[in-house]
Amino acid sequence: MFRTPLLIATALAVAFGLGILSSVYALRATVGFGAIALGPWTAFPAAQTVDADPYAKAHRARDGRLLLGGAEGLTFTAATDSDNRRLTANCRYEIAGITPPARLWTLHAADRNGNPLPGANPDVPTGLNAWSALRGADGDFSIRIASSAMPGNWLAIPEGRAPFLLVMTLLDTPTAGSSGVIDLAMPGITRLDCADA
């Protein structure tokens, strides 16, 4: 007598549970479609526009983050170095080169969920921008990323072995609204050494 309702309730619970889990997984797996990759850097130009795909809109709503408009800028993230090795806090890295044209760019380290990494000390730089970075005579720059202090441009990350992301935001850039993003170049990310190597 109770067998049929119990089977129906179990089937519904499994169906709803798997549906919810697959939706959450899809939202965590991607920001959306239409990614542009420039070396290790990836951007989603349509993610912040009204033409964004449903996954990008759901991702934005789930995170509760305010994204830049198409004419305001473009955010690039990197989870690996230029040799496709995962970025980890026990290694030291160097970002070198130039950025696409922009009025201002910012750079910071973030955890795998995109939250900025806290500094171990409030006096260390956890973010850099185009105005504070030292540049060479030809306009290129070199930024060292490490948990311990380094000369020149230094971006501090916490000690440990946790993976992290680099987030570079180009503000007021023609790159954001251009279809020629593929022809542009982003700075390279080189692993210098690791604490356990």
Side-chain angles (χ1 to χ4, degrees):
M1 179 171 169
F2 293 109
R3 184 175 178 179
T4 302
L6 183 61
L7 286 175
I8 292 172
T10 303
L12 287 174
V14 168
F16 282 119
L18 290 176
I20 290 170
L21 288 175
S22 64
S23 297
V24 169
Y25 175 77
L27 290 178
R28 287 184 179 163
T30 181
V31 175
F33 300 107
I36 294 173
L38 300 171
W41 302 95
T42 305
F44 294 89
Q48 63 266 21
T49 65
V50 75
D51 299 326
D53 63 87
Y55 286 103
K57 290 178 182 177
H59 192 277
R60 182 173 57 202
R62 182 181 65 90
D63 280 354
R65 294 190 179 158
L66 185 62
L67 299 176
L68 298 172
E72 295 173 331
L74 189 59
T75 300
F76 286 89
T77 58
T80 63
D81 63 13
S82 295
D83 293 325
N84 205 28
R85 295 176 292 196
R86 187 174 65 170
L87 299 174
T88 55
N90 63 319
C91 296
R92 297 187 309 166
Y93 299 92
E94 179 182 31
I95 297 177
I98 59 172
T99 63
R103 186 175 303 255
L104 175 71
W105 56 260
T106 63
L107 175 70
H108 70 274
D111 64 18
R112 298 303 253 177
N113 295 322
N115 302 313
L117 292 178
N121 182 333
D123 297 326
V124 299
T126 56
L128 291 172
N129 61 55
W131 295 339
S132 64
L134 302 172
R135 294 177 177 267
D138 56 355
D140 64 344
F141 58 85
S142 172
I143 300 171
R144 301 288 177 103
I145 301 162
S147 58
S148 57
M150 299 189 76
N153 296 318
W154 170 51
L155 180 67
I157 55 173
E159 293 182 350
R161 296 178 173 271
F164 67 93
L165 303 173
L166 290 172
V167 180
M168 180 173 273
T169 304
L170 306 175
L171 299 166
D172 195 11
T173 175
T175 305
S178 170
S179 60
V181 174
I182 300 168
D183 298 332
L184 299 172
M186 289 289 287
I189 304 171
T190 305
R191 180 191 286 182
L192 301 176
D193 54 33
C194 293
D196 59 350

